[in-house]
Structure formats: C-alpha cells, structure tokens
Amino acid sequence: TLGGAIGIAIFGVVFTNKIYDNLVAKIPSQYATPAQIKDLANAPNSIRAIVKQIPGGEKFILPVYLDSFVVGLRFALYAAIPFAGLIFVFAFFCKQYSLKAVTKKGGHNEKNEDVKIDVEETTTIGESLLKTETEETLA
C-alpha cells in the first residue's frame, strides 16, 4: 500500500543514517575510510565482503557494525511510534460499514427471510452511491 511504501522510505532513511552516524563515531579512520563506512551503512547484505576488504575488519569492525545495526533499528522503531499513535487516533474517526451483502428488494437472505433495504438516509458519498445503484436495481 501507499502507507507501507512511504513508511519503508522514511524509516529506511532513519535506519541507514543512524547506522552511518554510529559507525563514523566508533570506527577510527585508521581502520576504514569514509567511503568504506558509507558502503557498510548502505549495503547490509554484503557486510561480510566489505569487512573482509578491510585489514582487521572481522575482529574490530564487525562487532561495531552489529552494535550500530541494533542502534539504527531501535531509532527506526522510535520514529514509527508517533505514526502509530496518529493512525490509532484517526481510527476513531472512521465510519464502520456493515459487510453483509445487499440484495435487491424481494430477495431472501440465508434464513429465507425477506430482505428490507432502507436507502433513505445517506451520510457519505459511498452511501449515496449505494443508494443510487440500489434504486436503479429496484426500478
């Protein structure tokens, strides 16, 4: 969905930036260049290959990277909390709709009872469209 795509984009940037900031703060320049640190932050799938290119990387850089990964994930989740709260509040303003099927006048439901359709009161666009479609079906 659109919300998921936007969420992945926002939280992915927060995650990557936090990993990069943490790596820059913890890895001395003698172990890795800024370009190598940027590669570490941007390519978590190829971490082993990048670390092997750096002398002494597996002993020093890999534990620092794992710690940075955890910190980045933590901050991405912190960034998601306000959005979750906002969505929770918006949920109170959504109108609830019945999921029962509407049949035309004179039809029967599963219990073989006559179905009554009341389309006089409409409050939303969706309901007014339903009213129009139902009136056309009944005519």
Side-chain angles (χ1 to χ4, degrees), residues 5-18:
I6 292 171
I8 287 174
I10 291 171
F11 304 133
V13 168
V14 170
F15 176 68
T16 303
N17 286 339
K18 199 61 182 174

Side-chain angles (χ1 to χ4, degrees), residues 51-74:
V51 169
K52 285 182 182 179
Q53 294 173 355
I54 301 169
E58 288 188 16
K59 292 181 182 176
F60 179 73
I61 294 177
L62 193 57
V64 171
Y65 180 80
L66 293 176
D67 182 56
S68 299
F69 191 88
V70 170
V71 169
L73 188 58
R74 184 179 300 133

